[in-house]
Amino acid sequence: MPVHNSEIADKFDRLADLLEIEDANPFRVRAYRNAARTVRGYPRSMSDLLDDGADLTELPDIGDDLAKKIQAMVETGNLPLLEEVEERTPPALSELMKIEGLGPKRVRALYLELNIKTLDDLKEAAESGKIHEIAGFGDKSEEKIRKRAEKFIGEKKRTLLIEAEDIARPLLEYLKKAEGLKEIVIAGSYRRRKETVGDLDILITAAKAGTASIMDHFTDYDEVEEVVSKGKTRSTVYLRSGMQVDLRVVPQICFGAAQHYFTGSRAHNIAVRKMGVKKGYKINEYGVFRGDERIAGKTEKSVYDKVGLPYIEPELRENRGELEAAKEGELPKLITLDDIRGNLHAHTKASDGHNSLREMAKAAASLGYEYLAITEHSKSLAVAGGLDKKQLQAQFKKIDKLNEQLDGIVLLKSSEVDILADGSLDYPDDLLKELDFSVCAIHQKFDLPGKKQTERILRAMDNPYFNILAHPSGRLINERDPYEVDLEKILEEAKKRGCFVELNAQPKRLDLTDEGCILAKKMGVGISIATDAHSTADLEHMRFGVDQARRGWLEKKDVINCLPLNKLRKLFKRN
Ligand code: DGT
Ligand code: CA
Ligand code: CA
């Protein structure tokens, strides 16, 4: 298993934390923090870079010593200096630094005076009222610390949808083999296609005789690490991956009501139940009831029927206005994967991708696309293989030639152009002019204050060759927070200028968010759902983008790559 950038960054961060607790030289501490930030946010993995013979000292904030440490971590997985520091300072102290209000000095005081080494120690000491006895801590801060420690201990990382799929797929295959099983569905946030899921909620209907053996079959699954609870109709387990799975077996007659209930969201359920109450019905996971009489529940549609609504797609069920829209007959006709006609963001070997132009074109054609845009990184992103003017023009020549040979698909000449710190674009206008259109993105200086970051993007959009803003928030789910930016302002100005925004379909990005899509649609800004593919396989991530788009209420008409190429080309001509 290659070492991930996030693992390297975590080690540097932990080292910086512990050194800070030890009161080490602040410059040294900062050097490790900066290195962590560089590595964490880097678009290519350190191990790939080293495989390609890249010089890591060309990365921002990485000098000789840090480059050597990164190389050692890639090769051995270890950072010896961290291990050395952990010998003398308890490793879990770095966890305590994550509690808001606890800086290195306070963590050090808690450790030296109360021997607090872990979050549990901290919570315990706060509960027994020991903390306010130390200088610098009052009653109030003790209570705050206790609450925050509790919250922190309770918080669990949510799993990316694509990872949840990898866990769910074999489990589903396995469960289908259970004796007596009739129907099976994964409900919950998974069915609503949320970008991350907390746990999996599986519903099964079965012939009566099969019910007990189905639970045995479930808890016998090879990947089950712990059976939390096991009953006739409901069981919960933890898998080795850490994923919690709730399984329920329900009678076929209430399958629809159970699907509706366990698909959620909770807020949507509560709102539907309230509508039922107004009509004198009780709605729960067993059905819709008038008094003791079950009047609906076999299908989800029958449940909606009883409250006078049309069927509502799971992706919309967040109580974000879908019930009102349904009442008015104004539900969106959600986009589907079949509506997509092309992909406007992809890399090849020429920058940091893994496949050739021809391979990418063939793969896109086999997905039924009319067009695929090649968008290598621009020159400033040298370590991600950014192209200089000559290289880009050489690629364009190759594309022209290839287009003559290709049948049914057209490669578009583009680039993922860096938006520099001052808002200028990374290529001069006379080169940008040669592109069919541009995809512009921020890859460095993530930490500007919101106003400046917004200003930077607006300046970039002033350039008449700016077409699509890629991954507008810059977030990496579970890894990097979005940069501070006023999305509404950007959308407003994008609309004025005839620019578009991307919904990056990489499962770790999914950026725009669902809320971002809703906002862009409201403001009338066209969206490009694009995979940012770095390999032929990545092209298939389009479906995650479409899922997110559906959560964001998008229809075919809101998405520019649902257009045929001739119409799309016109959109890219700004005055
Ligand atoms: P997750 O797992 O955090 O990603 O999110 P969900 O939506 O899958 O939530 P989960 O697993 O806690 O529960 C599954 C569904 O069950 C939830 O979407 C709605 C339903 N549900 C759970 N608790 C309640 C509740 O207290 N009231 C109502 N009306 N529905 C609930
Ligand atoms: Ca769930
Ligand atoms: Ca659950």
Side-chain angles (χ1 to χ4, degrees):
M1 269 283 285
V3 179
H4 292 294
N5 283 0
S6 61
E7 294 169 289
I8 296 171
D10 283 348
K11 285 208 161 81
F12 279 142
D13 268 334
R14 255 197 336 268
L15 178 59
D17 287 344
L18 294 179
L19 288 174
E20 210 172 2
I21 292 165
E22 290 182 346
D23 205 16
N25 179 334
F27 290 104
R28 209 171 148 219
V29 172
R30 198 169 314 144
Y32 290 120
R33 286 215 196 286
N34 289 342
R37 181 156 7 102
T38 298
V39 172
R40 194 183 301 283
Y42 210 71
R44 289 190 70 197
S45 80
M46 295 298 124
S47 63
D48 280 358
L49 287 178
L50 287 168
D51 280 350
D52 292 354
D55 178 2
L56 297 184
T57 61
E58 282 176 16
L59 294 170
D61 297 316
I62 305 293
D64 272 342
D65 175 61
L66 287 164
K68 280 200 192 110
K69 288 192 164 71
I70 293 171
Q71 181 160 8
M73 278 189 270
V74 168
E75 284 165 4
T76 68
N78 296 327
L79 176 57
L81 179 60
L82 176 62
E83 286 162 23
E84 205 178 287
V85 174
E86 284 178 344
E87 292 271 303
R88 49 177 199 254
T89 304
L93 289 181
S94 81
E95 287 279 295
L96 299 189
M97 296 261 290
K98 298 199 178 102
I99 305 276
E100 204 191 322
L102 286 188
K105 286 212 174 66
R106 287 183 134 192
V107 170
R108 183 182 163 82
L110 290 168
Y111 169 52
L112 292 179
E113 298 192 33
L114 297 173
N115 199 29
I116 289 172
K117 292 185 233 165
T118 64
L119 278 166
D120 283 327
D121 292 348
L122 179 71
K123 191 171 145 250
E124 213 170 282
E127 277 165 359
S128 56
K130 284 189 194 144
I131 288 179
H132 72 271
E133 290 165 13
I134 329 178
F137 290 90
D139 287 354
K140 262 200 191 146
S141 64
E142 175 156 42
E143 178 56 15
K144 269 190 203 152
I145 287 169
R146 188 188 60 73
K147 278 198 184 140
R148 285 174 189 153
E150 245 173 24
K151 180 160 177 281
F152 205 88
I153 291 167
E155 256 175 29
K156 251 184 64 199
K157 253 197 181 175
R158 298 173 60 82
T159 306
L160 287 181
L161 186 55
I162 188 173
E163 289 167 3
E165 281 191 352
D166 287 343
I167 293 166
R169 207 177 299 115
L171 173 58
L172 216 56
E173 283 314 305
Y174 171 84
L175 286 174
K176 279 181 185 164
K177 292 185 203 136
E179 217 187 300
L181 178 136
K182 293 241 191 261
E183 292 151 300
I184 181 164
V185 68
I186 307 180
S189 51
Y190 186 92
R191 182 158 176 247
R192 301 198 312 280
R193 307 310 286 162
K194 241 181 121 156
E195 61 200 26
T196 60
V197 308
D199 68 0
L200 294 173
D201 306 280
I202 301 183
L203 291 178
I204 285 178
T205 62
K208 245 207 160 68
T211 313
S213 67
I214 285 178
M215 283 305 177
D216 289 335
H217 183 71
F218 175 48
T219 53
D220 280 349
Y221 184 48
D222 229 18
E223 290 291 313
V224 169
E225 183 162 87
E226 188 193 335
V227 178
V228 182
S229 66
K230 185 173 173 183
K232 262 195 184 148
T233 58
R234 181 186 170 161
S235 300
T236 293
V237 304
Y238 281 114
L239 302 181
R240 275 180 238 286
S241 56
M243 178 69 89
Q244 179 184 321
V245 184
D246 294 340
L247 181 88
R248 291 176 188 82
V249 182
V250 300
Q252 261 182 306
I253 185 79
C254 30
F255 193 45
Q259 271 191 76
H260 182 257
Y261 183 91
F262 292 111
T263 295
S265 66
R266 193 164 171 262
H268 174 90
N269 286 354
I270 291 171
V272 171
R273 200 163 57 211
K274 273 193 189 147
M275 292 178 70
V277 168
K278 277 195 190 149
K279 292 189 185 289
Y281 303 149
K282 195 175 86 191
I283 301 178
N284 57 29
E285 60 267 51
Y286 304 108
V288 181
F289 297 87
R290 187 168 43 208
D292 287 337
E293 184 197 359
R294 185 207 311 265
I295 55 170
K298 185 141 200 313
T299 64
E300 284 193 305
K301 194 169 175 311
S302 74
V303 176
Y304 285 116
D305 238 19
K306 284 295 164 207
V307 291
L309 296 179
Y311 177 79
I312 299 175
E313 303 275 4
E315 293 91 332
L316 294 177
R317 300 182 196 169
E318 299 290 344
N319 200 24
R320 284 197 284 224
E322 72 277 12
L323 294 168
E324 292 77 3
K327 249 183 261 173
E328 302 294 322
E330 283 170 1
L331 281 173
K333 186 172 183 304
L334 296 181
I335 182 172
T336 67
L337 192 55
D338 279 346
D339 294 328
I340 300 289
R341 292 199 185 216
N343 188 340
L344 298 177
H345 190 161
H347 300 266
T348 75
K349 274 184 192 162
S351 67
D352 59 349
H354 298 294
N355 292 98
S356 66
L357 276 176
R358 188 184 290 275
E359 286 163 350
M360 292 299 279
K362 286 249 153 91
S366 75
L367 292 171
Y369 292 156
E370 280 173 40
Y371 46 88
L372 172 71
I374 303 301
T375 54
E376 311 292 13
H377 290 290
S378 60
K379 68 176 194 312
S380 283
L381 221 57
V383 258
L387 308 190
D388 62 23
K389 181 173 178 174
K390 263 195 174 156
Q391 291 167 319
L392 186 65
Q393 286 173 326
Q395 186 181 59
F396 286 175
K397 275 205 182 120
K398 272 193 193 163
I399 290 178
D400 284 337
K401 243 184 153 170
L402 198 51
N403 272 337
E404 284 169 18
Q405 303 164 15
L406 290 170
D407 201 16
I409 186 155
V410 176
L411 288 181
L412 297 178
K413 292 179 277 189
S414 184
S415 167
E416 182 174 7
V417 186
D418 244 50
I419 299 172
L420 303 180
D422 64 357
S424 58
L425 297 183
D426 197 21
Y427 289 132
D429 287 3
D430 65 347
L431 181 57
L432 291 172
K433 200 164 61 188
E434 296 180 34
L435 278 56
D436 287 316
F437 75 102
S438 71
V439 176
C440 303
I442 283 182
H443 289 114
Q444 45 215 330
K445 295 258 185 231
F446 291 111
D447 52 356
L448 294 184
K451 235 182 135 174
K452 281 206 168 146
Q453 198 68 283
T454 305
E455 201 47 41
R456 173 187 185 184
I457 294 172
L458 297 186
R459 287 294 70 75
M461 290 195 312
D462 284 340
N463 186 306
Y465 298 106
F466 184 116
N467 295 113
I468 299 176
L469 176 63
H471 40 74
S473 89
R475 70 154 178 186
L476 295 175
I477 298 171
N478 285 342
E479 281 176 29
R480 184 173 71 206
D481 288 335
Y483 40 73
E484 281 175 38
V485 83
D486 182 346
L487 182 62
E488 190 164 350
K489 178 82 186 155
I490 286 172
L491 291 169
E492 187 185 320
E493 298 295 321
K495 174 74 184 167
K496 279 187 203 157
R497 291 165 170 77
C499 300
F500 306 96
V501 289
E502 180 181 85
L503 193 187
N504 191 297
Q506 262 193 62
K508 219 180 240 195
R509 288 194 183 268
L510 291 172
D511 180 10
L512 297 171
T513 61
D514 48 4
E515 303 266 0
C517 291
I518 290 172
L519 191 61
K521 181 184 169 115
K522 191 175 110 197
M523 311 206 34
V525 179
I527 291 165
S528 157
I529 308 178
T531 58
D532 198 351
H534 285 69
S535 68
T536 51
D538 286 356
L539 288 169
E540 310 215 16
H541 288 157
M542 186 64 83
R543 64 191 181 85
F544 293 102
V546 171
D547 285 340
Q548 180 89 328
R550 289 167 63 87
R551 288 182 55 77
W553 292 55
L554 299 191
E555 303 176 87
K556 189 176 167 182
K557 66 176 168 53
D558 304 315
V559 175
I560 60 175
N561 51 313
C562 291
L563 290 170
L565 185 54
N566 57 344
K567 290 208 172 135
L568 185 64
R569 281 193 196 275
K570 283 185 197 139
L571 291 185
F572 291 143
K573 296 254 174 311
R574 288 175 56 183
N575 315 311

